[in-house]
Amino acid sequence: MHINSPKFKANVTHALADTRLQKALDFTRPSFAGRRGAAVANLPEFEQLRDIGRDIKNHTLAHLDFYLETWAANVEKAGGHVHWCSTADEARAAVLKICQDAGARTVTKGKSMISEELGINEHLEKHGIAPVETDLGEYILQIRDEGPSHIIAPAFHLNREDWEESFRKVHTDLPADRVFNERRDILTEARTRLREKFLAADVGITGANFLIAETGSSVIVTNEGNGDLTQTLPKVHIALASIEKVVPTLEDATSLLRLLARSATGQDFSVYTTFSTGARRQHDLDGPGEYHVVLIDNGRSNMLGTEFQEMLRCIRCAACMNHCPVYFTVGGHSYGWVYPGPMGSVLTPSLIGVDKAGHLPNASTFCGKCESVCPVKIPLPKLMRHWREREFERHLSPQSSRTNLALWAWFARRPGFYRLATRIGAAILGRLGRRKGRFQWLPFASGWTDGRDLPAPEGETFFARYAREQREKNS
Amino acid sequence: MSKHIILGAIRRGLRRGPLPEDQAMALRARMTAHPRHLIPARSRVPRPEQIALFLRNIEKEFGTFTRVPDLAAIPAAIADYLAAQNLPTDFAMAPHPELAAIPWSERPLLTQRPGRAQSTDLVSLQHGYAAIAETGTLMLPAAPERPTTLNLLSDTFMVVLRASRIVGAYEEAWDLLRAESHDERSGGFMPRNVMLVTGPSRSADIESTLELGAHGPRRLHVLLVDDDPTALA
Ligand code: SF4
């Protein structure tokens, strides 16, 4: 995908002026957070499961070489093929070669963020193969030639009128004056159109939420069923997976699955959770004749052993962006690449370089909400701070923010002063913002508030609140 | 070779060489033991409550069910369901011996076509391998007698499930597969494809509003056969 992250500030200005986008953001924000909250409240063990999820991922990352080799050996035992690709170029070439060997003309695709990261569609098109996105959200984005604005709800920034307009433009064989009475009619038109594509495709490409070392399986999680049609009907199935997707056993995957849907959409479990192991077996009546996994590093192994290793625990649930005040002010496209929100602010500089994505870690109010909802407990604010410090060291920041950051760093290294200073700051801001709960503008911080509302502190810092809650708990 | 480049980079990051054999053995032992983690308490209840939890979750996820005393009662239950939904009486059916043994001739108006599903099939009938009460989830492993397309291509998806095959948690369903399934080629137990299905297909991509029947079935109907005496209370 094209990289627009260096233009973060301009993107934000644009997003704030986009009334359609702002309408979609306002419309969606409460439901995203609310659904997760309800699902979590329904599972008393959820907090314990977060610790378990974190530990499973940490264990796997500490032995990543071993589990990848075990997984790959088991894929091959089951008759599948593994293509190890250390760069995006290699991965694109591997996908193209499999498609060409299959004589493919059209390829259906399940939703995959790594496919966006690699730019698989553009590459296939360049070589005369037509990729068709089949996730409804991805389908409309492909029609509109837009990137996703969210990792699990890629097109939530569009309104109904956008869908109707786009469908009229491309489904030209249908009567131009047809009426879309309700959302259902839009869905039905897409379903019919894509059903033909599923049946005609030569190759199906999906992502993978997990790889399982023990069995050599890849796992996809969807609600629509498009991923399953993609991997079941064509004669070849390609799963794209990055190296950090592997977990040791089915039991490990199961524990993470208990966290995933609840954190993502607030469902107890997604509609389709599907485990693929090898190709069609003797006497099977359906299923792909070939099963390939394109295993992709593309910069991730460089994160191991650094302060960013923890980011490799991410299971792409989107809870962090769903709860992020910055994300819901600027929208996903402002982040300028594949991964938006807090997880993107940490991951994108790791993958495309801090020189291109250095603005992103600044897109935070450090409210800490992302970390508090992350199912695998990634300390996102801390990791964003690491990027800021690195950026600072590289002297990429303009003079004014360098001075402020140096000041902040002085306080941050002296916890006593830091607490005192933030307490004073929070109290003042809390009083100022009492009326609306958010700041549109703050004195001396217009560089900040020009592009974002700052949520008004509730008059108490995290530290103060934590101390109070501990006191209350213990009394 | 990219494999070596990737493994080398991982090991550099982890600041070690290939894993020493004693450690590798410990990891292999962990995979062989495949220890369970915390299992939520909600499904660890007496049998009748477990079945009730499963059925509650089926409905919570927009599915429906009919409870029948034995396999012989299936044709009448299906005929009633299809009539109530105003659906055609012919359907694609899993070529599974348990389904073949159902006395279909008692309902001559129902037409079954054993095999995989075609895109034109409006209704399909699948054999339920097992189900998980925790979230109302069906486990449908692919096999010659349980084609995957039946789960996906029809508009109305019906599943025959024996109550004795309902377990509390996913881990128990994996244990059924580990004990009962075997693949000659790999020597492992995983079928080519295992679908865990929780409710009918849906999408919230259009204005974040839930619509049923995205690409897969719009209706999911479970025919629960009460073959488990401990479950009846
Ligand atoms: S960082 Fe955490 S909350 Fe964000 S997508 Fe990844 S796992 Fe989910």
Side-chain angles (χ1 to χ4, degrees):
Chain A
M1 208 174 121
H2 184 70
I3 297 171
N4 246 336
S5 307
K7 289 195 280 178
F8 180 72
K9 285 187 177 171
N11 298 343
V12 166
T13 312
H14 185 77
L16 291 174
D18 182 343
T19 50
R20 273 192 172 189
L21 170 68
Q22 292 298 329
K23 179 179 150 201
L25 288 169
D26 287 344
F27 182 73
T28 319
R29 183 179 187 168
S31 66
F32 275 2
R35 285 184 201 142
R36 176 195 175 273
V40 168
N42 246 324
L43 188 68
E45 294 92 346
F46 192 84
E47 279 309 308
Q48 276 165 281
L49 285 170
R50 287 177 70 207
D51 287 333
I52 291 168
R54 176 199 58 203
D55 295 347
I56 291 170
K57 282 289 192 173
N58 282 347
H59 169 83
T60 316
L61 290 170
H63 307 100
L64 189 58
D65 51 339
F66 173 86
Y67 283 120
L68 283 175
E69 285 196 280
T70 307
W71 163 81
N74 285 327
V75 173
E76 270 147 27
K77 264 195 218 163
H81 306 278
V82 178
H83 307 258
W84 298 73
C85 301
S86 66
T87 63
D89 274 339
E90 281 176 35
R92 283 189 290 263
V95 171
L96 179 66
K97 172 140 192 347
I98 301 166
C99 293
Q100 284 172 336
D101 287 351
R105 291 172 53 214
T106 66
V107 168
T108 41
K109 295 192 62 225
K111 197 175 118 42
S112 156
M113 295 312 293
I114 190 107
S115 169
E116 302 280 349
E117 179 183 325
L118 300 172
I120 294 289
N121 288 4
E122 296 78 351
H123 193 66
L124 291 177
E125 276 165 5
K126 216 163 67 197
H127 291 84
I129 297 171
V132 181
E133 293 290 347
T134 63
D135 172 270
L136 283 173
E138 293 283 349
Y139 178 61
I140 182 113
L141 294 180
Q142 190 180 26
I143 291 175
R144 299 169 63 92
D145 197 20
E146 280 182 34
S149 71
H150 189 276
I151 60 170
I152 63 161
F156 86 92
H157 60 284
L158 298 177
N159 300 302
R160 209 175 122 175
E161 309 82 65
D162 301 320
W163 285 79
E164 297 184 8
E165 188 185 293
S166 301
F167 276 20
R168 277 186 217 287
K169 208 179 288 169
V170 293
H171 301 160
T172 45
D173 51 328
L174 297 171
D177 57 350
R178 66 191 182 284
V179 184
F180 295 99
N181 285 315
E182 43 189 7
R183 293 187 190 91
R184 162 109 246 139
D185 299 332
I186 303 174
L187 182 76
T188 306
E189 186 168 310
R191 178 187 166 110
T192 314
R193 184 50 50 105
L194 286 166
R195 195 46 87 83
E196 298 157 12
K197 305 281 187 191
F198 282 124
L199 295 168
D202 307 293
V203 174
I205 302 179
T206 67
N209 290 81
F210 300 100
L211 303 173
I212 299 174
E214 177 202 10
T215 58
S217 310
S218 59
V219 185
I220 61 165
V221 177
T222 76
N223 279 320
E224 297 181 5
N226 65 308
D228 286 278
L229 287 164
T230 297
Q231 65 184 20
T232 301
L233 297 180
K235 54 185 191 260
V236 178
H237 171 205
I238 305 175
L240 307 173
S242 46
I243 54 172
E244 81 282 15
K245 299 287 178 193
V246 72
V247 295
T249 65
L250 285 168
E251 280 72 8
D252 295 321
T254 299
S255 289
L256 290 163
L257 284 164
R258 283 196 177 95
L259 292 164
L260 178 59
R262 290 183 173 92
S263 302
T265 52
Q267 289 167 283
D268 288 345
F269 218 55
S270 301
V271 178
Y272 301 109
T273 303
T274 304
F275 299 69
S276 296
T277 314
R280 184 194 283 219
R281 308 224 171 130
Q282 217 190 352
H283 308 303
D284 274 355
L285 301 180
D286 49 23
E290 286 176 36
Y291 170 76
H292 299 263
V293 186
V294 174
L295 182 74
I296 300 132
D297 180 345
N298 202 24
R300 286 161 176 82
S301 58
N302 292 335
M303 295 163 70
L304 287 168
T306 72
E307 58 264 63
F308 301 108
Q309 174 167 332
E310 295 191 83
M311 192 59 217
L312 295 173
R313 290 203 297 267
C314 175
I315 57 172
R316 306 285 191 268
C317 71
C320 54
M321 62 197 75
N322 287 349
H323 292 77
C324 178
V326 176
Y327 178 91
F328 271 99
T329 306
V330 305
H333 286 153
S334 294
Y335 293 81
W337 197 51
V338 180
Y339 303 104
M343 58 83 68
S345 295
V346 177
L347 191 61
T348 304
S350 301
L351 298 183
I352 66 174
V354 70
D355 52 328
K356 294 198 194 74
H359 288 307
L360 302 186
N362 294 315
S364 165
T365 64
F366 290 108
C367 70
K369 192 71 191 160
C370 48
E371 180 175 1
S372 77
V373 295
C374 176
V376 285
K377 295 199 157 176
I378 298 173
L380 293 153
K382 185 180 96 186
L383 299 185
M384 280 186 257
R385 261 196 303 267
H386 283 317
W387 275 128
R388 286 190 183 189
E389 283 166 9
R390 282 212 192 174
E391 192 197 1
F392 179 63
E393 284 158 16
R394 290 167 53 96
H395 291 279
L396 287 173
S397 289
Q399 186 59 42
S400 71
S401 58
R402 208 151 66 224
T403 316
N404 289 338
L405 193 66
L407 192 65
W408 172 82
W410 187 89
F411 275 109
R413 276 186 221 112
R414 293 163 183 82
F417 280 104
Y418 185 84
R419 262 164 247 180
L420 183 68
T422 49
R423 197 149 56 216
I424 296 167
I428 295 170
L429 293 181
R431 201 155 320 137
L432 277 173
R434 191 138 293 159
R435 209 169 326 132
K436 285 181 69 186
R438 316 191 93 200
F439 294 107
Q440 306 278 358
W441 175 86
L442 277 179
F444 315 120
S446 68
W448 184 277
T449 49
D450 278 357
R452 48 215 140 181
D453 281 7
L454 181 67
E458 282 151 28
E460 193 180 27
T461 66
F462 171 75
F463 284 118
R465 177 164 165 201
Y466 182 77
R468 177 172 57 77
E469 282 174 4
Q470 288 301 309
R471 271 199 309 278
E472 284 169 6
K473 217 179 280 167
N474 295 336
S475 61
Chain B
M1 270 278 297
S2 296
K3 179 174 176 180
H4 297 292
I5 295 173
I6 295 174
L7 293 174
I10 291 172
R11 288 173 188 146
R12 259 196 314 284
L14 297 173
R15 295 187 182 81
R16 60 164 170 75
L19 210 60
E21 185 49 32
D22 58 325
Q23 287 186 39
M25 260 171 63
L27 296 185
R28 277 193 285 273
R30 185 188 185 276
M31 281 192 286
T32 313
H34 55 85
R36 294 177 175 185
H37 303 284
L38 172 78
I39 293 182
R42 61 153 75 160
S43 70
R44 318 188 98 175
V45 290
R47 233 10 224 158
E49 283 171 46
Q50 226 170 30
I51 310 292
L53 174 66
F54 171 74
L55 294 174
R56 261 204 318 281
N57 280 328
I58 284 282
E59 291 192 315
K60 179 181 175 210
E61 295 301 335
F62 309 99
T64 53
F65 66 88
T66 311
R67 213 166 166 170
V68 296
D70 49 33
L71 283 168
I74 294 278
I78 289 183
D80 289 350
Y81 172 72
L82 294 178
Q85 306 292 322
N86 225 343
L87 288 165
T89 53
D90 59 313
F91 51 87
M93 181 175 91
H96 192 283
E98 262 179 36
L99 300 187
I102 292 172
W104 295 109
S105 54
E106 287 171 15
R107 289 282 167 156
L109 284 181
L110 294 179
T111 321
Q112 316 84 46
R113 189 181 48 72
R116 57 161 285 173
Q118 304 299 333
S119 187
T120 44
D121 288 321
L122 288 176
V123 184
S124 61
L125 179 66
Q126 181 61 290
H127 174 262
Y129 174 79
I132 297 124
E134 186 177 342
T135 47
T137 300
L138 297 159
M139 177 182 265
L140 307 170
E145 67 276 11
R146 200 181 297 104
T148 307
T149 41
L150 290 169
N151 313 339
L152 295 166
L153 285 172
S154 62
D155 215 34
T156 300
F157 178 42
M158 306 185 295
V159 181
V160 171
L161 176 72
R162 291 190 287 125
S164 59
R165 302 292 291 182
I166 296 177
V167 297
Y170 313 104
E171 285 84 345
E172 297 165 65
W174 292 129
D175 280 351
L176 289 178
L177 263 188
R178 288 181 195 276
E180 296 170 356
S181 163
H182 181 72
D183 174 42
E184 286 296 327
R185 176 173 188 163
S186 64
F189 62 91
M190 268 310 251
R192 179 192 71 75
N193 168 294
V194 180
M195 284 184 72
L196 301 182
V197 177
T198 312
S201 152
R202 68 199 63 177
S203 172
D205 273 345
I206 307 172
E207 295 192 320
S208 306
T209 307
L210 192 70
E211 293 281 348
L212 296 182
H215 291 293
R218 189 188 316 208
R219 297 186 198 86
L220 169 71
H221 188 67
V222 175
L223 297 138
L224 185 72
V225 182
D226 267 313
D227 68 336
D228 183 355
T230 64
L232 293 167

